[in-house]
Amino acid sequence: MVRNPLGVVTRLPRATARLPRMAPDMSRLPPGRMVTLPGGVRTRLHDTGEEGLVPVVLLHGMVATGMLNWYQTFQRLRGEYRLITFDQRWHGRGYRGPFSFDTLADDVHRVVDHLDLPAPVLGGYSMGGMVSQLAARRDPSRFAGLVLAATGTGAERNAVEKVTMGGFTRASPLLNAVPEEVAEEIQDTVEDDDEATSPHAWALRELSSTPVATHRTVISEVARFNSTGWLHELNLPVAVVKTMRDLAFPQSLQDEMADLLPRSAVFPFEGGHAGCATRPGTFARRMRTGIGWVVSESGVRTRSSGPR
């Protein structure tokens, strides 16, 4: 059992009252369902299901799950787009098979095939943004465009970045809001709670569903990722939601990504790398702007039945 480096076990009950920062309206979130994708890949998928709307597939970041990363985007954009997310490998209830960013990119295509989606917009946050780049590179014609948030071209290309990534790797157990050794305690607590379906209990279950062991693997993949040599090949509209106070992906990496892409637009967001959690409402509105720009540039049609 991994020891909790932060010693938060005794403080956990106090922390539960503050999670999540902006509580989701559970009645507005589509329930997840387990699906088996081509190749026998099994994962949990959420789909608002409006077949008359432009589909948007959203990929979460490290530590998160699909809905935990995107719940505010689902709440605010439901009825404007068909929103889809799923738990990526080794996260939440995602597939436990071989893990690499290449296999995660394969899974994106599996989801698109499974749902028979016509040229969806592909959005990615942090790790999900890197996977989005790889998925689009594999076959750009499959997507109307990309929305890349809190992500970049990669890391560990020079001495400074190597030192930074080395620190992230050594400290990776510190990155989990709910470490592995308290996950069982959380699960017991919410199962015994009469309000186990409350937003706070839901958030704790989602946070505790990704083990600490996943972090080092993901960070190693981040350190190996470098899209600078081929981003110029992605001739499709890409909206960059630029996190202005991001330490994990500094502005330089985000600017580099935007500059390399032939058809990009930058939409600044005054938040850090965890902005989707610390400022979820503002972040969701920025995603609306980015998705709308991609839809406009790509020429795909949508009918909007929600407020803007």
Side-chain angles (χ1 to χ4, degrees), residues 65-133:
T65 63
M67 191 53 70
L68 187 61
N69 202 140
W70 297 108
Y71 70 87
Q72 273 291 326
T73 302
F74 267 69
Q75 285 188 189
R76 291 176 181 269
L77 274 65
R78 187 170 189 171
E80 301 176 37
Y81 303 100
R82 177 182 176 183
L83 302 171
I84 299 150
T85 190
F86 63 98
D87 293 349
Q88 298 187 80
R89 295 183 183 218
W90 294 19
H91 291 75
R93 299 183 67 183
Y95 188 57
R96 301 300 180 187
F99 184 98
S100 70
F101 280 4
D102 284 328
T103 57
L104 267 59
D106 289 338
D107 291 343
V108 175
H109 286 269
R110 289 185 173 102
V111 168
V112 172
D113 290 341
H114 178 76
L115 297 177
D116 193 23
L117 300 177
V121 175
L122 180 60
Y125 195 95
S126 187
M127 175 189 81
M130 294 179 166
V131 175
S132 296
Q133 295 174 52

Side-chain angles (χ1 to χ4, degrees), residues 42 68 100-101 103 105 168 178 196 205 223 231 263 303 308:
R42 188 163 174 79
L68 187 61
S100 70
F101 280 4
T103 57
F168 274 139
V178 182
R205 283 199 300 270
L231 270 186
R263 301 170 59 191
R303 58 172 177 81
R308 287 187 180 271

Side-chain angles (χ1 to χ4, degrees), residues 59-62 69-70 123-130 133 147-154 222 239-251 253-254 257 267-269 271-277 283 287:
L59 306 181
H60 64 77
M62 186 183 77
N69 202 140
W70 297 108
Y125 195 95
S126 187
M127 175 189 81
M130 294 179 166
Q133 295 174 52
V147 182
L148 304 177
T151 192
T153 51
V222 171
V240 176
V241 178
K242 180 181 175 181
T243 40
M244 302 296 288
R245 302 173 186 175
D246 202 321
L247 298 180
F249 288 91
Q251 291 190 40
L253 288 181
Q254 300 182 67
M257 179 175 67
F267 301 91
F269 167 65
H273 192 67
C276 66
F283 173 73
M287 284 297 297

